[in-house]
Amino acid sequence: MQLVKVNPQFYQECKTRGVDKELLYNKAGRPCVLIVKLQYKGMYHKFVVPLRSNIASNTPKSQYFPLPPNPTTKTGNRHGVHYIKLFPIDSKYIQKYRIDNNTYMQKVKAILDRNEKAIIESCQSYLCKYEHGEMNPMTPDIDGILSWL
């Protein structure tokens, strides 16, 4: 699996177009998992799925892939790949996320690589539910983003 960050220009474009609700943005460049091909409405698209450090402990396990807590994970919360926060992306908005000197992120990457198939299947399953109207109100506006990509 590839860890990436999203160019701030993408978030600005979403904001300009009014489709920025529920996108997770931070200036440092939140790490995301890049999934090259997920099917949505009969077409394949690139999606990114953010890593999130403070997923509420009562969040159903079907909504995220758990990872070891990071330094910003608050007591009682979870850290993981948060499926319901996935959104489509174009290659021009993807930047490398450097983990060369970060032992923790290297460990996370190894966990992601070992579980790649399960993560992709869970993301695809969530997208199928979203497509059929079973969407979580915390999910970004997938259709709105796709309309201008």
Side-chain angles (χ1 to χ4, degrees):
M1 300 217 87
Q2 187 177 355
L3 285 175
V4 298
K5 62 183 178 177
V6 177
N7 185 312
Q9 181 185 356
F10 173 82
Y11 297 106
Q12 186 58 47
E13 292 284 343
C14 286
K15 188 174 184 174
T16 299
R17 290 169 165 75
V19 294
D20 59 326
K21 187 173 184 266
E22 295 302 332
L23 285 174
L24 297 176
Y25 170 72
N26 68 20
K27 288 183 182 183
R30 174 184 301 277
C32 296
V33 175
L34 174 65
I35 301 178
V36 176
K37 287 186 178 180
L38 289 176
Q39 189 172 10
Y40 181 68
K41 295 189 176 179
M43 297 181 67
Y44 286 93
H45 304 278
K46 288 182 183 174
F47 279 82
V48 291
V49 189
L51 299 186
R52 201 160 175 212
S53 59
N54 284 298
I55 300 170
S57 60
N58 63 349
T59 301
K61 296 214 187 287
S62 63
Q63 291 184 5
Y64 69 97
F65 178 82
L67 294 168
N70 72 17
T72 61
T73 304
K74 296 176 184 168
T75 304
N77 286 350
R78 308 288 181 260
H79 180 234
V81 180
H82 205 181
Y83 306 136
I84 68 167
K85 291 296 191 178
L86 83 170
F87 57 90
I89 194 81
D90 186 274
S91 296
K92 70 182 181 180
Y93 296 109
I94 297 171
Q95 300 175 332
K96 284 187 175 188
Y97 187 81
R98 309 288 299 177
I99 62 170
D100 301 340
N101 298 320
N102 187 326
T103 307
Y104 171 77
M105 287 307 291
Q106 289 172 357
K107 179 180 173 182
V108 165
K109 171 106 170 56
I111 293 168
L112 295 172
D113 287 343
R114 284 193 307 270
N115 294 280
E116 180 173 4
K117 184 178 178 183
I119 293 168
I120 291 171
E121 287 173 356
S122 294
C123 288
Q124 185 62 70
S125 174
Y126 180 73
L127 264 181
C128 287
K129 290 176 186 173
Y130 184 94
E131 185 175 344
H132 291 98
E134 299 175 45
M135 52 188 80
N136 187 301
M138 292 177 53
T139 299
D141 183 355
I142 293 171
D143 292 314
I145 295 168
L146 283 173
S147 72
W148 65 269
L149 276 181

